[in-house]
Amino acid sequence: MIVPMDRADLAVASLVRAWLRLYTVGVSPQKRERRAQQLESDLWEHQADATARGISRGVTSLSIVDRMVRGIPADIAWRTRIGGFAVTISIPFNRAVGLVLLALVIAVPIATTMAGWDTDRDAWGAQLRDLGERQRWQTHLTNIFQVIAGLGLIAAGIALGVTMAQRSRGLAIVAGVLLGIAGTLTLVSAALYAAVAELAQEFAAGTAEPGAAGTARGLAIVLQNTVAVATLCAVGGVFVISVAAARQALLPRWLRFGPPLAITSGVASVVLGGFEATENAEWLSFIVTFVLTLGWLVVAGGMLALRRLDTLPLPTPPAAPA
Amino acid sequence: MRRKPNTLVPLERNLLGAAVAFARAGVEEFHGYAIALELADQAEARRLTGHGTLYRALDRLESAGFLSSSLEDADQAAAQRRPRRRLYRLTAEGMRAAAAEDAAAPSHAIGAQSGLATS
């Protein structure tokens, strides 16, 4: 018997198979194959039975999705019982770290561009009007990049946590958590940016409620501090990655000094910001931090991503005392 | 909640009951979808058991020795142009377990409520 299938039938079958692939990640091939055979047979029998009874395709598709959804708790329980969620990822360590670093080259500037507003009380009106007079698509595009940067940082944190864990477990967790926090704060900043941009549009159009400028300034100050913490977390994550790469001898010796220099320069920028007379020095140290961080990300990321280091042996444990 | 050892949860009791009903009707082997239909018939339910729930319970009954299973012949499935079925069969131990469950709770006698039970 041939069971006629339309797009809905195929889509539903694909959904069931996709869920199967997801919850059987890391399961032994025999167990996965057994479950796949059970489901393939069940899907076919269900559709054949429905066809024989004259049940409509839509009702059958809904019934299959219903069965899949109601079975999810049992699937998860089955998956948990047969051995946790250990996942083996075969991405070479150096390539993964290198790609993450290169991705940060894009994410870090996008995340920090939000902090460039002049929130001084006297200058804020002009700043808000300037922001409000931008085209709407420009603010939307900026917002989209910010969200991508935030999600990218979170993804980078997860990728590092998984790929570095085999070699440097402690450092992998620290780097992963720092990048994850940086990503989350970037998403928060994106939300704040959208709110400020909306208020700025109303302000520029003259339709803003009284006090809107003050609210926008408050949000902008929170946004700047959030971005500052996110940037610190991202730079800290990069620093931890550089320590791990140095321990594994993945990078030339001279490259190891980049992140510590950038952090020193960044701290100097913050300290100098407290003195009105050192405005130029503050600006200069901020630029040095920025250039050092980006330069290091490009060079180190490129070297790790492109060089063939796949055969690098895992670190050997120290010899036991005789 | 962790289950007590050597006890059957209601779904497993019902599956065992459906397997007994199949055996009494002379159906020695059955596949997963067939038993899902039988369960729905017994309960007069319109919805079939969820995929994960059904196959997890069938696997557990097989691990307990109450059912055995094997993949059907590949040629037979190919001749009917469908995926191979995993065919389940009630074991002697499964039959004893069903009888013991009946003795413990005669008002819910396994297999008694099935439309397939012929005697």
Side-chain angles (χ1 to χ4, degrees), chain B residues 32-113:
Chain B
Y33 179 74
I35 205 161
L37 272 183
E38 174 60 15
L39 281 181
D41 282 349
Q42 281 183 13
E44 295 179 358
R46 294 182 66 185
R47 296 164 85 191
L48 299 171
T49 311
H51 294 142
T53 318
L54 174 70
Y55 291 105
R56 184 173 173 229
L58 284 171
D59 287 350
R60 277 203 306 252
L61 287 175
E62 194 175 343
S63 299
F66 299 157
L67 296 176
S68 64
S69 82
S70 59
L71 265 182
E72 77 170 331
D73 183 50
D75 293 339
Q76 193 177 343
Q80 295 183 27
R81 301 178 72 173
R82 56 170 173 72
R84 290 169 81 183
R85 292 169 172 165
R86 176 160 291 279
L87 297 171
Y88 295 88
R89 176 188 284 263
L90 185 67
T91 63
E93 198 173 340
M95 192 68 96
R96 278 196 293 276
E101 289 280 339
D102 280 357
S107 60
H108 298 93
I110 277 180
Q113 63 277 60

Side-chain angles (χ1 to χ4, degrees), chain A residues 1-2 16 34-35 37-46 49-50 53 63-64 66-68 70-71 73-75 77-78 81, chain B residues 2 31-33 36-37 41 47-56 58-59 62 69 71 79-86 88:
Chain A
M1 176 183 175
I2 298 173
V16 173
R34 179 186 166 100
R35 180 54 68 96
Q37 278 171 337
Q38 287 170 326
L39 281 178
E40 285 296 334
S41 169
D42 192 298
L43 279 174
W44 191 93
E45 301 291 348
H46 195 150
D49 179 55
R53 291 177 192 226
S63 170
I64 291 173
D66 174 55
R67 291 183 66 201
M68 185 198 87
R70 281 186 293 116
D75 288 329
W78 173 81
R81 193 175 177 81
Chain B
R2 191 165 284 279
H31 52 80
Y33 179 74
L37 272 183
D41 282 349
R47 296 164 85 191
L48 299 171
T49 311
H51 294 142
T53 318
L54 174 70
Y55 291 105
R56 184 173 173 229
L58 284 171
D59 287 350
E62 194 175 343
S69 82
L71 265 182
Q80 295 183 27
R81 301 178 72 173
R82 56 170 173 72
R84 290 169 81 183
R85 292 169 172 165
R86 176 160 291 279
Y88 295 88

Side-chain angles (χ1 to χ4, degrees), chain B residues 2-18:
Chain B
R2 191 165 284 279
R3 60 194 299 191
K4 290 179 188 170
N6 304 320
T7 55
L8 294 176
V9 297
L11 175 65
E12 291 164 353
R13 276 176 51 88
N14 293 342
L15 280 172
L16 208 52

Side-chain angles (χ1 to χ4, degrees), chain A:
Chain A
M1 176 183 175
I2 298 173
V3 179
M5 290 186 120
D6 64 6
R7 280 186 187 173
D9 295 332
L10 293 172
V12 163
S14 300
L15 183 68
V16 173
R17 288 184 193 118
W19 167 239
L20 170 81
R21 275 197 293 276
L22 186 66
Y23 77 78
T24 56
V25 167
V27 172
S28 70
Q30 293 85 355
K31 284 183 176 150
R32 188 173 55 231
E33 184 62 21
R34 179 186 166 100
R35 180 54 68 96
Q37 278 171 337
Q38 287 170 326
L39 281 178
E40 285 296 334
S41 169
D42 192 298
L43 279 174
W44 191 93
E45 301 291 348
H46 195 150
Q47 284 168 336
D49 179 55
T51 304
R53 291 177 192 226
I55 298 171
S56 77
R57 296 250 177 84
V59 171
T60 310
S61 296
L62 280 177
S63 170
I64 291 173
V65 173
D66 174 55
R67 291 183 66 201
M68 185 198 87
V69 171
R70 281 186 293 116
I72 285 175
D75 288 329
I76 293 171
W78 173 81
R79 179 63 186 84
T80 308
R81 193 175 177 81
I82 64 172
F85 285 85
V87 179
T88 305
I89 290 183
S90 58
I91 306 169
F93 169 72
N94 60 297
R95 293 256 158 89
V97 175
L99 290 173
V100 165
L101 294 183
L102 288 174
L104 288 177
V105 176
I106 302 164
V108 169
I110 290 171
T112 50
T113 47
M114 294 184 284
W117 292 332
D118 187 351
T119 51
D120 191 67
R121 193 183 295 274
D122 297 332
W124 179 243
Q127 174 73 75
L128 194 62
R129 190 171 301 282
D130 179 49
L131 180 64
E133 285 171 354
R134 286 184 199 169
Q135 296 291 321
R136 199 170 272 270
W137 67 265
Q138 285 179 306
T139 45
H140 285 328
L141 194 65
T142 310
N143 223 212
I144 288 169
F145 275 119
Q146 289 157 358
V147 171
I148 292 171
L151 293 176
L153 282 165
I154 293 171
I158 294 169
L160 274 178
V162 173
T163 54
M164 274 175 62
Q166 198 182 2
R167 290 173 179 272
S168 308
R169 190 175 178 79
L171 292 175
I173 292 170
V174 175
V177 167
L178 282 172
L179 291 181
I181 293 172
T184 308
L185 290 178
T186 303
L187 291 178
V188 172
S189 307
L192 289 169
Y193 180 89
V196 174
E198 191 66 36
L199 287 171
Q201 300 257 347
E202 290 175 8
F203 184 75
T207 57
E209 290 176 6
T215 307
R217 182 168 168 264
L219 289 174
I221 291 170
V222 175
L223 167 64
Q224 285 183 321
N225 287 310
T226 310
V227 169
V229 178
T231 308
L232 275 178
C233 288
V235 173
V238 170
F239 177 70
V240 176
I241 295 167
S242 79
V243 172
R247 283 195 186 169
Q248 302 298 324
L250 291 171
L251 290 172
R253 189 177 291 271
W254 60 271
L255 256 180
R256 299 177 196 176
F257 298 107
L261 282 176
I263 286 180
T264 309
S265 175
V267 170
S269 171
V270 172
V271 172
L272 289 171
F275 303 97
E276 283 189 11
T278 56
E279 203 168 289
N280 285 339
E282 178 202 352
W283 179 81
L284 188 66
S285 45
F286 176 77
I287 293 296
V288 168
T289 309
F290 203 70
V291 170
L292 268 177
T293 306
L294 287 194
W296 189 88
L297 286 172
V298 170
V299 176
M303 287 178 92
L304 286 170
L306 301 177
R307 280 173 67 188
R308 276 196 64 81
L309 292 167
D310 308 11
T311 53
L312 201 76
L314 283 171
T316 47

